[in-house]
Amino acid sequence: MNRAVVHQAASLLLGYPDRDWPGRLHAVRSALEPVPGADIRLLRRFCARVDGTAQLELGARYVATFDRSRRRCLYLTYYTDGDTRRRGTTMAGLKALYRGHGWRPPADELPDFLPLMLEFAARTPDAGERLLVEHRPALELLRFGLTAYDSPYADVVEAVCRTLPGPGPATREAALRLARTGPPAESVGLLPFPRLRPVPDAPHAEETSR
């Protein structure tokens, strides 16, 4: 089914491009080759746009895209909960959901990391779709941010959005409300928002408020 294929491919493509990136990209392109669909074409277009980019250069782009802006964050509960106590509760619920379906994601990654959510959705389609629908406003906001940034990663997130029911006016309005107001600002009792990758010097680093 296209939905599971899209979710698994997007999970791999949205991961940090480390040393195994060339093999990962090749595996995704090979898996997508015989599959039809507009969402698949978006994933293929992303693969074509980044093909031939040196791993170190793509890694720097990845950091500039996802780690330097609150509007392009891959940790989806940040859009709705910000650095608040509520976010910890939400992530505990995500861990319980994963355990309840017999899946244990890596211990060194937060459970609201979009590639992890997508891998869960690929492995457990019904529960995974419900999870992604629940976080649809954050997904749409991420897509809007990537599109405005002219990032090739916008194609990957759009492909994911196309697999979900809707979007429907209510979901779009929820995303726009998030875009206008931003995440909650409370940070009492929480560690700073994590940066899990070293940030290389980037020639065009932007302000985090963009």
Side-chain angles (χ1 to χ4, degrees):
M1 183 176 182
N2 272 19
R3 183 178 66 182
V5 172
V6 169
H7 292 167
Q8 185 61 71
S11 173
L12 294 169
L13 296 175
L14 287 170
Y16 179 74
D18 52 19
R19 291 182 179 180
D20 73 350
W21 171 253
R24 201 192 323 162
L25 181 62
H26 175 73
V28 170
R29 296 186 81 168
S30 298
L32 295 179
E33 188 173 348
V35 185
D39 45 8
I40 298 294
R41 287 195 294 273
L42 285 167
L43 296 176
R44 288 197 195 113
R45 184 167 72 177
F46 168 83
C47 292
R49 288 184 67 181
V50 300
D51 188 28
T53 304
Q55 179 261 321
L56 288 177
E57 179 184 348
L58 188 61
R61 289 187 193 177
Y62 185 96
V63 169
T65 299
F66 294 116
D67 290 358
R68 296 182 187 273
S69 173
R70 295 183 303 156
R71 300 299 186 186
R72 299 188 302 274
C73 176
L74 288 174
Y75 297 89
L76 294 191
T77 67
Y78 183 69
Y79 291 99
T80 51
D81 296 345
D83 284 336
T84 67
R85 295 181 181 91
R86 186 177 66 196
R87 186 165 180 241
T89 301
T90 303
M91 289 198 289
L94 286 172
K95 291 180 180 178
L97 175 66
Y98 295 154
R99 287 195 301 267
H101 287 84
W103 187 57
R104 294 185 181 274
D108 61 350
E109 186 56 271
L110 295 177
D112 62 340
F113 188 46
L114 178 55
L116 285 188
M117 288 185 167
L118 290 168
E119 184 176 351
F120 175 72
R123 292 168 178 259
T124 315
D126 291 339
E129 181 184 85
R130 290 193 295 271
L131 177 63
L132 293 174
V133 168
E134 179 182 346
H135 293 277
R136 180 66 178 273
L139 277 169
E140 292 288 356
L141 186 54
L142 173 60
R143 181 175 67 84
F144 295 155
L146 291 170
T147 299
Y149 193 59
D150 194 26
S151 169
Y153 286 101
D155 283 341
V156 182
V157 177
E158 182 175 348
V160 172
C161 290
R162 284 176 180 244
T163 67
L164 303 178
T171 300
R172 288 186 178 277
E173 178 57 30
L176 291 173
R177 283 199 301 271
L178 277 174
R180 287 194 295 267
T181 62
E186 178 192 0
S187 59
V188 177
L190 291 181
L191 294 174
F193 187 66
R195 186 183 302 280
L196 301 181
R197 291 170 294 276
V199 181
D201 292 335
H204 301 294
E206 61 171 351
E207 296 296 328
T208 57
S209 61
R210 177 172 172 176

